[in-house]
């Protein structure tokens, strides 16, 4: 019997587990793949936090509320913007190596800009491999802890509910046998459900298991209409689609239609850095009007793209695409990054 059972080993699960252990709880992390296996490790662009001297949590709050278009839970946004800088520093103290450069006060965090943000405030690692670095640091911290047990290759299938309380779960163990795992508290941190969609950037493990087993146990699920999605990914047959991080547009990349027109200008005052829903809607309109199943992302102006975005560079190279190429004839079949809808 554990004090705390955490299902899932992404950033949510491992952070909760470390917090529980620090509070003196006996903790079990149970995860269906290997410990590092998660959507977290595929996160590219980074973590938004008001860290720059010229930035404030109030500015981050204002940007988030505008992007949220009336749907934000203001208390939750306040927690996010106020605690963000502290959480980034905690991750760094745990060993996450965020990208830095020499500044006036020694090594300073490099900050990128993404859609909906009025200033650069996105901390990143390995250029565009932020999630891999955060997951690596969290896994290392969990492995160091002596208050934690880890079960890899265990698949949670049902909650055990007794006298209206969750007392643990039924899991298929690493040999496929159904086993009860009991705990005083159970946290579902099993990630998203991107694989429910025909087109997704989410890894194969994002199958909404936690939502399903909670619903089966009669747990009320809130906010299911809020699904995070990426407006831009490479238009290939492969699934998941290789993500083209919003940070590309933060560095100057421009969405173009089949005539080469930069169509976000005129759609929104922030043009290509408009919030995701605005960008997606504008791209969908162009796609529907043109009858072509994609638009284009012109990244030819980004210098040293291979250093700043090594993950995207590798995905393009694997597909025979060279994002540095200019002089593109827009009505021809694409030879630079295509963006799926
Ligand atoms: C390509 C990509 C790029 C992204 N880029 C960014 C970014 O730049 N910035 C940003 O803020 N966010 C980004 N995100 C989103 C971010 O990665 C996720 O919101 C976040 O990682 C979710 O973390 P999580 O811990 O909730 O879930 P996950 O990291 O998905 O972890 C879920 C865990 O639960 C386990 N699990 C699932 N079902 C079961 C089961 N039945 N039994 C046992 N274990 C189970 C999984 O194996 C996994 O370990 C990106 C996402 C993707 C896919």
């Amino acid at each position: 019997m554990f004090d705390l059972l955490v299902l899932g080993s992404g950033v949510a699960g491992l952070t909760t587990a470390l917090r529980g252990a620090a509070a003196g709880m006996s903790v079990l992390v149970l995860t269906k793949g290997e410990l590092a296996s998660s959507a977290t490790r595929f996160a590219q662009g980074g973590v938004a936090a008001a860290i720059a001297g010229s930035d404030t949590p109030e500015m981050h709050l204002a940007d988030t509320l505008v992007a949220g278009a009336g749907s934000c839970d203001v208390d939750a946004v306040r927690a996010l913007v106020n605690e963000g800088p502290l959480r980034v520093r905690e991750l760094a103290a745990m060993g996450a190596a965020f990208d830095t450069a020499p500044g006036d006060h020694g090594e300073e965090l490099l900050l990128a800009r993404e859609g909906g943000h009025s200033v650069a405030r996105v901390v990143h690692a390995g250029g565009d491999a932020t999630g891999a670095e955060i997951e690596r640091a969290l896994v290392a911290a969990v492995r160091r802890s002596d208050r934690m047990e880890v079960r890899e290759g265990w698949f949670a299938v049902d909650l055990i509910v007794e006298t209206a309380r969750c007392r643990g779960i039924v899991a298929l163990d690493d040999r496929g046998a159904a086993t009860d795992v009991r705990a005083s508290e159970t946290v579902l941190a099993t990630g998203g459900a991107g694989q429910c969609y025909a087109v997704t950037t989410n890894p194969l493990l994002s199958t909404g298991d936690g939502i399903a087993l909670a619903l089966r146990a009669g747990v009320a699920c809130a906010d299911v209409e809020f699904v995070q999605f990426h407006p831009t990914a490479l238009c290939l047959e492969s699934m998941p689609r290789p993500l083209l991080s919003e940070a590309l547009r933060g560095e100057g990349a421009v969405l173009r239609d089949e005539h080469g027109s930069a169509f976000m200008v005129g759609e929104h005052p922030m043009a290509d850095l408009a919030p995701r829903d605005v960008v997606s809607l504008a791209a969908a309109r162009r796609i529907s009007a043109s009858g072509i199943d994609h638009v284009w992302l012109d990244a030819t102006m980004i210098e040293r793209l291979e250093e700043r975005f090594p993950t995207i560079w590798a995905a393009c190279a694997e597909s025979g695409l060279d994002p540095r190429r200019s002089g593109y004839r827009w009505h021809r079949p694409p030879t630079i990054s295509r963006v799926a809808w």
Side-chain angles (χ1 to χ4, degrees):
M1 175 88 168
F2 295 87
D3 295 330
L4 177 63
L5 166 62
V6 177
L7 305 182
S9 55
V11 64
L14 297 186
T15 303
T16 307
L18 288 164
R19 285 291 176 94
M25 299 172 105
S26 61
V27 181
L28 171 63
V29 177
L30 186 146
T31 191
K32 67 182 176 182
E34 292 172 359
L35 193 58
S37 171
S38 60
T40 299
R41 72 184 165 123
F42 295 99
Q44 288 188 356
V47 184
I51 283 172
S54 55
D55 197 4
T56 64
E58 284 305 313
M59 288 164 67
H60 193 181
L61 176 81
D63 286 348
T64 309
L65 295 183
V66 169
S71 294
C72 290
D73 172 337
V74 180
D75 290 339
V77 179
R78 266 189 207 289
L80 177 99
V81 299
N82 288 333
E83 293 182 29
L86 174 63
R87 301 294 163 233
V88 168
R89 279 194 283 276
E90 279 177 1
L91 283 168
M94 201 183 287
F98 294 113
D99 295 334
T100 59
D104 295 341
H105 309 286
E107 281 296 304
E108 290 177 4
L109 287 168
L110 283 173
L111 301 172
R113 197 166 161 207
E114 292 198 14
H117 295 283
S118 55
V119 296
R121 61 164 70 98
V122 178
V123 179
H124 47 87
D128 59 358
T130 313
E133 179 56 15
I134 290 176
E135 182 75 19
R136 185 202 61 72
L138 287 167
V139 165
V142 166
R143 298 271 189 220
R144 282 195 299 269
S145 170
D146 53 9
R147 298 200 70 87
M148 238 181 282
E149 188 176 324
V150 172
R151 293 190 192 162
E152 294 167 276
W154 284 56
F155 195 109
V157 283
D158 266 316
L159 300 182
I160 299 171
V161 181
E162 290 167 358
T163 57
R165 284 268 311 162
C166 179
R167 306 289 175 185
I169 59 157
V170 178
L172 300 178
D173 69 16
D174 50 0
R175 286 158 304 153
T179 311
D180 286 5
V181 182
R182 293 195 163 255
S184 304
E185 311 291 339
T186 302
V187 172
L188 307 183
T190 49
Q195 288 295 326
C196 293
Y197 295 83
V199 175
T200 182
T201 53
N202 283 200
L204 294 179
L205 58 86
S206 300
T207 43
D209 303 12
I211 302 166
L213 61 88
L215 285 172
R216 220 170 20 245
V219 177
C221 290
D223 298 334
V224 285
E225 71 276 31
F226 292 105
V227 176
Q228 196 221 8
F229 62 93
H230 292 116
T232 53
L234 275 180
C235 184
L236 302 171
E237 287 306 309
S238 62
M239 198 65 69
R241 294 276 205 267
L243 172 65
L244 296 174
S245 165
E246 216 165 350
L248 282 168
R249 280 176 282 126
E251 297 283 334
V254 170
L255 282 161
R256 296 191 187 278
D257 65 15
E258 75 278 17
H259 306 296
S261 168
F263 60 83
M264 283 311 299
V265 179
E267 290 278 353
H268 191 275
M270 296 176 87
D272 287 89
L273 283 177
R276 290 181 178 185
D277 56 323
V278 177
V279 172
S280 301
L281 195 58
R285 279 203 209 100
R286 287 301 191 288
I287 283 167
S288 146
S290 70
I292 302 172
D293 69 348
H294 55 268
V295 290
W296 286 262
L297 186 63
D298 177 2
T300 51
M301 70 298 286
I302 300 180
E303 288 172 14
R304 297 198 302 278
L305 191 141
E306 65 278 26
E307 288 169 29
R308 175 66 181 87
F309 298 104
T311 309
I312 292 170
W313 178 263
C316 289
E318 206 170 300
S319 323
L321 297 170
D322 183 350
R324 292 169 308 187
R325 274 184 62 173
S326 59
Y328 179 67
R329 294 172 65 185
W330 299 101
H331 61 284
R332 285 271 178 89
T335 52
I336 71 162
S337 311
R338 303 189 303 167
V339 179
W341 175 244

